[in-house]
């Protein structure tokens, strides 16, 4: 099992969500996030320059079975990228265990619904 944490532009959320769902990733958590980095991109709107260091971001947390890792990462890369500074980051880590509270199922079985 892997945990994927991704920081994406808030404006890309609907596209990311749809792409993940189309790739069989039906559940993930997300919340608002802010961060500070050294990369800057200046934006000018109606003659006013805006600092982009505080672009609104979303933090996604996705736990997947190992077989779904690569397609989940590719879905994030395909849908969250704009090619500009500030597209975000993806972090991957290994999880030791997961347990579905309702049934007590453990490991991979706790991550999907058996039909």
């Amino acid at each position: 099992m892997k945990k994927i944490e991704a920081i994406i532009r808030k404006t890309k959320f609907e596209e990311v969500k749809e792409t993940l769902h189309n790739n069989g990733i039906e559940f993930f958590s997300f919340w608002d996030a802010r961060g500070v980095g050294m990369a800057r991109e200046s934006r000018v709107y109606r003659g006013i320059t805006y600092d982009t260091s505080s672009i609104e971001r979303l933090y996604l947390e996705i736990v997947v079975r190992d077989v779904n890792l690569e397609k989940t990462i590719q879905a994030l890369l395909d849908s969250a990228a704009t090619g500009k500074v500030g597209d975000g980051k993806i972090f991957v880590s290994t999880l030791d265990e997961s347990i579905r509270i309702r049934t007590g199922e453990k490991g991979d079985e706790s991550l999907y619904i058996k039909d």
Side-chain angles (χ1 to χ4, degrees), residues 4-63:
I4 301 168
E5 298 165 280
I7 300 169
I8 65 167
R9 293 174 186 267
K10 201 169 195 173
T11 57
K12 299 294 280 184
F13 178 70
E14 288 301 321
E15 187 177 340
V16 168
K17 181 177 76 172
E18 185 175 326
T19 304
L20 288 171
H21 286 173
N22 290 340
N23 281 280
I25 307 303
E26 299 170 348
F27 179 81
F28 59 90
S29 301
F30 66 95
W31 52 90
D32 290 326
R34 290 204 177 261
V36 177
M38 295 301 292
R40 297 276 194 269
E41 177 186 19
S42 65
R43 290 187 177 179
V44 178
Y45 180 73
R46 294 186 176 183
I48 300 171
T49 301
Y50 293 91
D51 179 10
T52 60
S53 63
S54 62
I55 291 175
E56 292 184 332
R57 311 250 190 259
L58 287 177
Y59 192 99
L60 279 59
E61 186 175 275
I62 310 163
V63 177

Side-chain angles (χ1 to χ4, degrees), residues 1 65 97-100 102-114:
M1 281 175 291
R65 294 182 292 156
E97 187 64 272
S98 71
I99 302 165
R100 183 182 311 225
R102 177 175 53 89
T103 62
E105 294 169 307
K106 294 182 177 182
D108 284 357
E109 289 183 355
S110 68
L111 299 179
Y112 65 94
I113 297 172
K114 292 184 249 178

Side-chain angles (χ1 to χ4, degrees), residues 5-9 57-58 77 80-82 84-91:
E5 298 165 280
I7 300 169
I8 65 167
R9 293 174 186 267
R57 311 250 190 259
L58 287 177
L77 291 172
T82 66
K84 296 179 181 174
V85 171
D87 277 353
K89 298 265 192 285
I90 298 172
F91 307 100

